[in-house]
Amino acid sequence: MTEERISILVADDDPFVRAMLQEILESADYAVQTSDDGSEAFRIWFASPESTDLIISDMNMEKMSGLELIRQVRRYSGAVPLIILTVNDEISVALEAIRSGATDYLLKDENIQETILISVERVIEKDRLKKQNLRLMHELEEKNRELAASNRKLLDLNQQKNRFLGIAAHDLRGPIGGIMGLSEMLMEEGAGKISEDHETFIRTIHSVSKEMLLLLNDLLDVSVIESGRLDIRPETDDLKALLEKRIEINRFAADKKKIRIQTDFSDIPPLSFDAKRISQVFDNYISNAVKFSPINSNIYIKLTQENDFVRVTVRDEGPGISEEDRGKLFGEFQRLSARPTAGESSTGLGLAIVKKIIDGHGGKVCAESREGEGAAFSFLIPFT
Ligand SMILES: Nc1ncnc2c1ncn2[C@@H]1O[C@H](COP(=O)(O)OP(=O)(O)OP(=O)(O)O)[C@@H](O)[C@H]1O
Ligand SMILES: [Mg+2]
């Protein structure tokens, strides 16, 4: 396929210059149209602007000067490149031409035969790059629009997913709670009346339904939090007493693994927080420490005041957090390299919920650890 030739419109009232330019340009394979005056050149260009790739114009012509031609053309198009030729070697003339919209300025001297081709090539290349740039910018704008539209769609789908998750978790809680309650009743009333095998089945039904209920609660939390409906109800409360109570509740699981819980609690001024939600945070920190630690190890829990914050830290002697896992902590469904050491359940939702709850309190979460040397998870809540 042969490429279409670049077409140049030349305006000059000197027939000798016109003929010379035409010859030079045609020998360089440009298509050339000529005119002996600015106004005729303007008419030719105006009749079919898209068929002219470049205008070369003399400065002084009788009916319409080169400057006037530039101004007229620029009223309609900023795009077509324009080279002005002049015999006048004054910087002010060049400046005036460029200011009026000329792309380049060339002196009609004895070197014109060489300089014209260099100038034309430079201007055409500049024009090509400008058009390419424009095209790329349009493409970019188009892509940005597409991206924004698909982002809106994704947000919408995510909201739908949260609504669905919320409805499913909510509606399943009732029946699963029923199964748990009934199995509890059967365990109590059936004791001694049914076979040992059947008692084992019922105990399994009971513990599995209890786990399912916990999972449903977490899923419901995720859906509530993600849809922005997490509401924190802070009230002035005794954080130290709350931590002590939660430790007692978690002690049973720790004892089973011969894990000792040691505390170091400072006295802190009264503080406002949502007790139910902070219990959830603390429970997850302790249950993680118990879950991922080896049998016969220690957990250290510390409560301190740090400027305008209170800091609670749960440190363990488990496997710690690997460098690779560090960036994934506190994300949803992140079950990382540390695995439960006694077959406990692990969904990978706890820390994501923790972060959202602490964010909701205007606080911060952090985890420090060297692999193999245990982990220390903290949360800070402000005194405001
Ligand atoms: N104290 C810890 N030591 C080592 N790894 C931990 C510790 N706490 C959490 N992790 C790692 O981070 C992951 C995410 O913890 P997260 O509490 O979110 O989930 P989970 O405990 O596995 O499940 P869930 O809390 O939903 O029951 C864990 O699966 C574990 O790999
Ligand atoms: Mg957890």
Side-chain angles (χ1 to χ4, degrees):
M1 198 179 82
T2 55
E3 252 187 61
E4 223 174 278
R5 285 197 299 164
I6 291 169
S7 97
I8 303 178
L9 174 60
V10 176
D12 198 305
D13 55 359
D14 182 335
F16 170 74
V17 176
R18 266 202 319 272
M20 177 193 70
L21 289 178
Q22 181 161 23
E23 198 191 317
I24 298 172
L25 293 169
E26 282 181 347
S27 65
D29 212 25
Y30 294 110
V32 181
Q33 258 190 303
T34 59
S35 137
D36 63 0
D37 182 69
S39 55
E40 199 208 356
F42 179 74
R43 262 197 307 280
I44 295 174
W45 173 79
F46 194 72
S48 169
E50 64 284 355
S51 26
T52 302
D53 297 308
L54 166 67
I55 300 173
I56 300 176
S57 173
D58 186 20
M59 193 67 148
N60 302 314
M61 290 175 291
E62 223 166 70
K63 271 197 267 165
M64 187 192 275
S65 73
L67 270 184
E68 190 51 30
L69 173 64
I70 301 173
R71 290 185 189 124
Q72 289 297 327
V73 169
R74 287 292 177 248
R75 281 176 60 197
Y76 300 96
S77 159
V80 63
L82 243 147
I83 299 174
I84 279 290
L85 304 175
T86 179
V87 283
N88 196 337
D89 190 11
E90 270 182 33
I91 188 82
S92 60
V93 179
L95 270 179
E96 168 113 58
I98 299 289
R99 225 179 273 132
S100 306
T103 321
D104 201 5
Y105 169 90
L106 208 60
L107 208 56
K108 263 201 241 175
D109 57 11
E110 65 281 5
N111 300 320
I112 183 85
Q113 304 204 11
E114 285 88 45
T115 52
I116 187 73
L117 280 181
I118 297 172
S119 170
V120 165
E121 271 165 29
R122 199 171 55 205
V123 166
I124 296 274
E125 178 62 8
K126 206 163 124 186
D127 187 52
R128 192 184 64 79
L129 291 174
K130 200 166 122 190
K131 283 181 181 141
Q132 194 181 40
N133 237 344
L134 267 174
R135 211 180 40 247
L136 289 175
M137 267 160 69
H138 281 140
E139 276 175 28
L140 198 69
E141 269 172 26
E142 183 57 28
K143 289 270 173 289
N144 274 342
R145 265 195 298 275
E146 283 172 19
L147 206 65
S150 66
N151 266 349
R152 274 194 301 274
K153 207 165 153 191
L154 279 176
L155 272 175
D156 192 43
L157 286 172
N158 195 39
Q159 266 169 10
Q160 280 186 36
K161 179 226 39 173
N162 282 329
R163 269 199 301 276
F164 172 75
L165 196 67
I167 292 169
H170 182 267
D171 290 0
L172 282 170
R173 265 196 329 178
I176 303 278
I179 294 172
M180 195 179 91
L182 288 174
S183 59
E184 216 166 75
M185 205 180 80
L186 283 176
M187 274 196 316
E188 281 162 16
E189 292 182 4
K193 294 187 205 151
I194 50 176
S195 72
E196 241 174 66
D197 274 357
H198 285 179
E199 267 190 50
T200 313
F201 295 159
I202 293 169
R203 260 200 305 280
T204 308
I205 292 173
H206 183 256
S207 74
V208 169
S209 55
K210 197 168 159 190
E211 264 175 32
M212 279 170 82
L213 208 57
L214 290 177
L215 173 60
L216 288 175
N217 284 341
D218 278 355
L219 286 175
L220 198 60
D221 272 344
V222 168
S223 105
V224 165
I225 287 167
E226 283 223 333
S227 55
R229 287 181 289 122
L230 171 72
D231 90 81
I232 303 282
R233 294 166 192 225
E235 271 174 44
T236 306
D237 210 330
D238 185 349
L239 182 62
K240 198 165 148 181
L242 179 95
L243 299 186
E244 273 157 359
K245 196 168 112 200
R246 300 316 303 176
I247 289 171
E248 281 326 303
I249 291 169
N250 282 280
R251 201 180 286 283
F252 178 67
D255 284 348
K256 274 214 295 202
K257 292 173 85 169
K258 296 199 172 59
I259 292 175
R260 292 165 295 278
I261 299 180
Q262 327 234 6
T263 57
D264 174 6
F265 290 172
S266 310
D267 284 324
I268 52 157
L271 178 73
S272 183
F273 57 92
D274 183 326
K276 200 168 144 238
R277 291 298 185 182
I278 292 298
S279 299
Q280 227 178 324
V281 168
F282 191 53
D283 280 358
N284 189 58
Y285 275 0
I286 308 188
S287 70
N288 281 358
V290 171
K291 198 190 311 190
F292 301 108
S293 288
I295 312 285
N296 205 4
S297 56
N298 295 290
I299 293 176
Y300 303 92
I301 302 177
K302 213 170 161 176
L303 169 69
T304 45
Q305 185 178 348
E306 243 181 59
N307 303 322
D308 298 336
F309 289 84
V310 58
R311 179 193 278 269
V312 176
T313 306
V314 178
R315 189 159 62 81
D316 62 47
E317 297 173 335
I321 314 288
S322 70
E323 197 58 47
E324 199 197 329
D325 284 353
R326 204 167 290 265
K328 300 182 193 154
L329 276 180
F330 301 101
E332 274 159 29
F333 297 105
Q334 294 294 343
R335 276 187 288 199
L336 306 175
S337 36
R339 310 301 310 156
T341 50
E344 293 99 329
S345 77
S346 158
T347 318
L349 281 175
L351 289 178
I353 297 173
V354 160
K355 173 146 181 23
K356 303 271 167 55
I357 293 175
I358 296 298
D359 281 350
H361 278 81
K364 281 181 274 190
V365 291
C366 52
E368 281 167 36
S369 158
R370 246 174 286 174
E371 201 171 355
E373 288 184 20
F377 281 82
S378 305
F379 65 86
L380 291 100
I381 35 183
F383 274 108
T384 43

